[in-house]
Amino acid sequence: MKKIFYKIINPFRTAYWFVFRPKTRGIKCLIENNGRFLMIRNSYGHRQWTFPGGGVDKNELPEKAAQREAREEVSVQVANLVPLGEYFSTRQYKKDTVYCYYGKVNSDYFKIDNDEVSEAAWFTEKDIPELRSSAVDQVLNLYRLKFKS
């Protein structure tokens, strides 16, 4: 039922964003296990590979939103998140500030929310698919600045 909702409502949301250009806040969560990152493909929209993420609810801290989205989309509990930074995006016609977080997990277990996510998999940094959202490169750049420099 949720999947149908997304497919029907998403074009209307996009039209609203195009006309009104609202200021929004979002998150992306880079989840690592044994040198691999968990990536998803949403069941709606562009369907490219990306990291779990979504919107920050009103009065919600971005870190809590990152934990919530990881739980909702892939059933992963990420306790100790490290802020990577943020970037600004107008990709979906919104004025979106995207907060990025990194966390390690001890298990490679995940279970996707079939309404929102069509596929998920673990990838090493060098094996990340070419068919990916531009958000992936933004998040990885912040990750490299934080941990590889």
Side-chain angles (χ1 to χ4, degrees):
M1 182 68 166
K2 204 174 180 185
K3 189 182 275 190
I4 293 169
F5 174 79
Y6 279 114
K7 287 186 180 193
I8 293 171
I9 295 301
N10 207 45
F12 292 103
R13 288 188 328 166
T14 302
Y16 173 84
W17 297 334
F18 181 78
V19 172
F20 294 103
R21 314 284 173 156
K23 286 185 179 179
T24 58
R25 298 181 309 147
I27 63 91
K28 285 293 180 184
C29 192
L30 183 62
I31 303 168
E32 182 183 2
N33 173 261
N34 288 328
R36 298 177 303 156
F37 301 118
L38 184 57
M39 298 185 74
I40 65 166
R41 287 186 341 125
N42 290 105
S43 58
Y44 57 90
H46 58 71
R47 298 185 185 195
Q48 297 171 329
W49 286 98
T50 190
F51 298 117
V56 178
D57 293 336
K58 187 176 180 177
N59 299 322
E60 182 178 36
L61 295 173
E63 181 177 349
K64 295 298 181 191
Q67 291 171 326
R68 175 180 51 76
E69 289 291 345
R71 255 189 339 271
E72 290 175 1
E73 292 183 349
V74 287
S75 297
V76 172
Q77 300 287 336
V78 186
N80 298 314
L81 288 173
V82 175
L84 295 176
E86 61 190 61
Y87 66 91
F88 184 75
S89 173
T90 57
R91 186 175 54 84
Q92 293 180 311
Y93 308 113
K94 302 177 286 183
K95 298 172 185 169
D96 195 18
T97 300
V98 182
Y99 302 92
C100 303
Y101 291 88
Y102 166 81
K104 279 190 172 184
V105 292
N106 294 324
S107 170
D108 63 359
Y109 171 82
F110 63 84
K111 182 178 184 235
I112 64 172
D113 171 358
N114 287 312
D115 289 329
E116 205 171 338
V117 177
S118 64
E119 186 177 6
W122 293 96
F123 295 96
T124 63
E125 192 171 349
K126 67 179 180 122
D127 293 327
I128 289 176
E130 288 188 32
L131 181 61
R132 63 181 179 254
S133 164
S134 60
V136 170
D137 295 319
Q138 295 271 14
V139 174
L140 287 174
N141 285 339
L142 291 170
Y143 168 77
R144 290 179 191 119
L145 284 172
K146 183 88 170 180
F147 293 107
K148 307 268 180 161
S149 43

